[in-house]
Each structure stands twice: as C-alpha cells, then as structure tokens.
Amino acid sequence: MSGKVLALSGGVGGAKLAFGLSQCVAADQLCIVANTGDDFSHLGVAICPDLDTVMYTLAGLANAVQGWGLEGESWQLMSALDRLGGETWFRLGDRDMATHLRRTALLAEGLSLERVTASLCRALSVEQTLLPMSDDPVRTQVHTTQGWLAFQDYFVRQQCAPQIDAIRFQGIDSATAAQGFRQALVDPALSAIVICPSNPFVSVDPILALPDVREALIGHAAPVIAVSPIIAGAALKGPAAKMMAALAMPVCASAVAAYYGDLLDGFVIDNADSSERSAIEALGLPVLQVNTIMRSTEAKIALAADCLEFAASLS
C-alpha cells in the first residue's frame, strides 16, 4: 500500500508483526511505537523489554524459539551472579546486558529514551523508525491480594500466579508521547494504523492512555485496525487470557474488539475464530479472517500483507 504505516506494539507478538510489516513497507515509511510501561531498573541498568524485543527482531537477532532475547546468547553473567547470591529471577544474557549498559550510559549523559533507542537501532542496522511510547517514565502495576506489584515482579518473578483485579500506569498523567510519536499521529501521509497482537491491558493500553493519544488515533483519517491476541480462547504468549478472566471478561476475540471500542475501524481474527465474526460485526466493525499465527517468516509477512490490504480497503 502507498503511504506511511504506524504500528503500536508490545513484545513478542507485536514484534513478529512489526517484522512482517518491515518486509512489506519501505523502511522510511514504517514507524513502530513500543510500550514502555514494562520498563524497569534492575541490577543498576535500565531495561526496556518491549523496545528491545522489537529492536532485536527487526535486526534479525532475536531468539526465534523464545521470541525474546538474542539468538545464541550465553549466560555466564547470570551464573556468576547466582554464585555470589545476587538476584537472577530476571535473566539477562551476556550480550543483552551490553544493550542495557549502553542504554543506561546514554541516558545518564542526558539523552532522551527516543534518542537512545535511535542510537541503538543504528548500531544494530535497524532502518525502520522504532520509538518508545514516551520519554517519561510510566510504570505498569497490577493489584493483587499482595497489594500493588510492579509488572515484572508479577509477570516474571511470580510467573503471573497472583490473582489480579486492577491495573494502573504510574506516571501516566504527567507523561507525554515521545516527539516522534506525536509527529506520526498528525502525519497526513499516514495511511494505516495497526495495533499489533499484543496484550490489550499491559502492552497497548499504556500507549493509548498517554494524554491525547487515543483521541489523535480516532481523529486521524487513516484507518485503525487491530489484530486479536486471543485465538480460540487462548493467548499464544503472555498473560492476556488470564488477565481477561481475572477481570471478568470473556476470553475471546470479540471481547478484545469490544474492549478497544470506538478506536477501531476494523478487526483481524484468526481462522480458528470464525464463530466470533458475527459478534464483532455486530459491534459495527468490518472483520478480516485469516491465519494470524506467525511461526515462520512467511507467516509474519503474509499477515502483515493481509493487514495492509485490509486497511487499504477501509480507507
């Protein structure tokens, strides 16, 4: 399709579709905005899990099996840290740690997270524009029987075991969208906005919750489409399905479409969810039903092409 494409992404699932889009759209026509609500400081370094997952995927360096981290990673740092009694619940590979060290150093020099991300992308030969949703710290927290927990504590350290009943984004009211993101939101050359198959609550919502972002997306002439992260009542990766159940929502694609509400102009579901189609269309949303499982390079590119064709049909 002609025109620029803006993609909103979380981690693994979003990164896969972002890669597919990168193979269908010229590098200077694609802008990917990644969630930074998962970011945190650990072992003295600044860690941006979703940004790094997208960056490594676009660079062709991501671990293809687990979807995050680097292919061929080594773990000597974690082994040595474990021997010394240090915290190893959030595993950082040896080469991955270099990314966090470099990011932390550049941030300490006064560079914004947007500029730091651009520098890291250049170093890894990523030609597409990858942006953090904000340069300001926003931290996702979940409320459980243990009280409020930082997202990585809940997700990684406790393996999503605690029951949740609420989610909040600390710092969201004082945060603003990153400069490049603000520019993309008003770019008249934008022809499609794609919400990747990422967790609606902790990957996409932090982006949408930034002041004026949701309104800008709704007000832009470009169609906004979302790819369901729920397939046949389950999430392929991450806690989206568990969160839906905990928040008393049906665990199905149509519930995700309803959750996004008036933001969307179209919704993409997997072939396994054909029975969901009529419920989504009843919301007033056109539906594209295709294969959305991206286990190969070809599948990532095919889904990206399908999404772009769908968006073009809605223009």
Side-chain angles (χ1 to χ4, degrees), residues 153-168:
D153 190 344
Y154 161 78
F155 182 51
V156 181
R157 191 203 293 256
Q158 305 202 43
Q159 298 291 297
C160 305
Q163 186 76 3
I164 70 166
D165 56 29
I167 302 167
R168 70 182 182 188

Side-chain angles (χ1 to χ4, degrees), residues 29 56 78 84 104 119 122 130 162 166 169 187 194 209 219-220 284 314:
Q29 300 292 292
Y56 292 157
M78 286 290 103
L84 295 171
T104 303
S119 175
R122 284 194 299 273
L130 173 61
F169 310 120
D187 191 341
V194 180
H220 202 289
L314 300 173

